[in-house]
Amino acid sequence: MDYAERIKEFITALGADLVGVTDFEALKELQTIPDNLLDSFSRALSIGVSLPVSVFEMISDRPTPLYASVYQTANRLLDDIALKASKRLQQDGYPSLPVPASQIVDRENLLGAISHKAVARLAGIGWQGKNLLIINPRYGSRIRLVTVLTTAPLKTDDPVRNRCGGCTLCRDSCPAGAIKGISTEDHYSSRDEALHFQRCADKLTGEFANLPGVGYPICGICIKVCPYGRKLTPAAPD
Ligand code: B12
């Protein structure tokens, strides 16, 4: 087993469902905060945790307190996994940095330190769907993501092709009418290419975050309707 496989096994044992690796050649045009975030590293690990389908099936036209709770727990799990993975890589001789799952570092422009979706797409976790989210063939968009930057010379993974096809379920169900329904083979040049971004941001930050028991700018509807991973296949009996 090579080093990348051992690290992936370690991360999976911590509770991750998906792990992929990309190098910085692919990421060099990505904006980060601060600008030099990537300077000391050479690879990024993208780590995904899947969320229960049932949590989304209980959402009709707005996020529920139950989803808000699962959202927080998943963020804590991801941050915990990323910290432990960084410590393990460091113990093996490779300086590494966990980037928080859901920290907004520029509140005015709604930006994190690095786009976890860009890292995930390049690391083969999924494609960038019409809802601007990363869609994994097995779980759909029901995944949350975190990134670990590292100097470890890990073997990289290949991106997967976009499989949205002619589907427009996310566009048709968006409560803010924000999704334009445009597809991309690799990634959008800006958020506005895929979304009427302000409509989405206003709905989540101005309305949904103020719902009783919710308290976060979340929604979940474009995640719920994605057909990938929505119908589970029961495991065969022993
Ligand atoms: C701020 C924020 C928000 C803001 C702004 C959203 C936004 N799209 O930027 C608000 C509050 C509105 C929001 C809403 C939501 N969010 Co949010 N959000 C974030 C946060 C913290 C930062 C996002 C950011 O910096 N965006 C900057 C823009 C430029 O980047 P981007 O959104 O990824 O889109 C660009 C890149 O992906 C780029 N790209 C892709 N590949 C490549 C490759 C290269 C080389 C380059 C140059 C670019 C590139 O193409 C896109 C257009 O430029 C991230 C966590 C993180 N650090 O990534 C979570 C995150 C994006 N949110 C997430 C989710 C799930 C949501 C919601 C569904 C809410 C919910 N939980 O129910 C909605 C969905 C909105 C939508 N359809 O996009 C998840 C996405 C998971 C997934 N499966 O994709 C993330 C990753 C959190 C997590 N830890 O999992 N969010």
Side-chain angles (χ1 to χ4, degrees):
M1 197 189 279
D2 75 9
Y3 185 61
E5 283 171 48
R6 272 188 284 138
I7 287 295
K8 286 180 178 177
E9 203 173 86
F10 174 81
I11 293 172
T12 306
L14 295 172
D17 298 293
L18 302 162
V19 191
V21 179
T22 184
D23 64 23
F24 284 5
E25 191 46 35
L27 282 171
K28 64 179 185 240
E29 284 162 39
L30 197 65
Q31 286 195 335
T32 60
I33 305 173
D35 289 343
N36 63 357
L37 181 70
L38 305 182
D39 284 3
S40 316
F41 304 101
S42 58
R43 297 277 191 282
L45 281 140
S46 177
I47 300 169
V49 162
S50 69
L51 307 183
V53 175
S54 309
V55 173
F56 295 98
E57 294 305 313
M58 290 176 73
I59 294 174
S60 52
D61 60 352
R62 66 196 64 186
T64 58
L66 190 72
Y67 175 39
S69 170
V70 167
Y71 162 88
Q72 292 174 73
T73 309
N75 286 341
R76 281 197 296 272
L77 175 60
L78 284 162
D79 286 337
D80 187 74
I81 294 172
L83 179 62
K84 288 177 176 155
S86 300
K87 278 156 54 82
R88 160 71 194 265
L89 286 156
Q90 182 174 288
Q91 275 158 16
D92 292 347
Y94 303 112
S96 300
L97 184 75
V99 182
S102 270
Q103 189 179 49
I104 301 181
V105 291
D106 176 346
R107 295 225 149 252
E108 198 182 330
N109 298 303
L110 292 174
L111 297 172
I114 191 169
S115 164
H116 295 319
K117 288 186 273 180
V119 176
R121 197 184 65 73
L122 291 162
I125 299 293
W127 66 92
Q128 189 154 48
K130 289 176 187 165
N131 57 5
L132 190 65
L133 300 176
I134 295 303
I135 303 183
N136 172 267
R138 178 158 179 205
Y139 302 109
S141 295
R142 295 166 205 80
I143 51 169
R144 294 193 64 76
L145 302 163
V146 76
T147 300
V148 173
L149 306 175
T150 183
T151 59
L154 303 171
K155 189 157 68 64
T156 57
D157 295 292
D158 294 325
V160 298
R161 72 181 166 79
N162 187 314
R163 301 186 200 167
C164 283
C167 178
T168 56
L169 286 172
C170 61
R171 182 197 69 187
D172 302 342
S173 62
C174 174
I179 298 174
K180 294 180 178 173
I182 296 165
S183 219
T184 175
E185 254 322 299
D186 45 30
H187 67 87
Y188 298 102
S189 56
S190 70
R191 298 186 280 206
D192 281 304
E193 192 186 348
L195 304 181
H196 299 285
F197 175 68
Q198 207 53 46
R199 291 188 197 168
C200 170
D202 288 349
K203 189 85 178 170
L204 271 60
T205 58
E207 185 182 333
F208 288 167
N210 299 321
L211 290 172
V214 174
Y216 291 93
I218 56 173
C219 174
I221 293 167
C222 65
I223 299 179
K224 169 186 173 174
V225 299
C226 181
Y228 284 96
R230 191 169 182 183
K231 285 208 171 59
L232 302 178
T233 317
D238 289 334

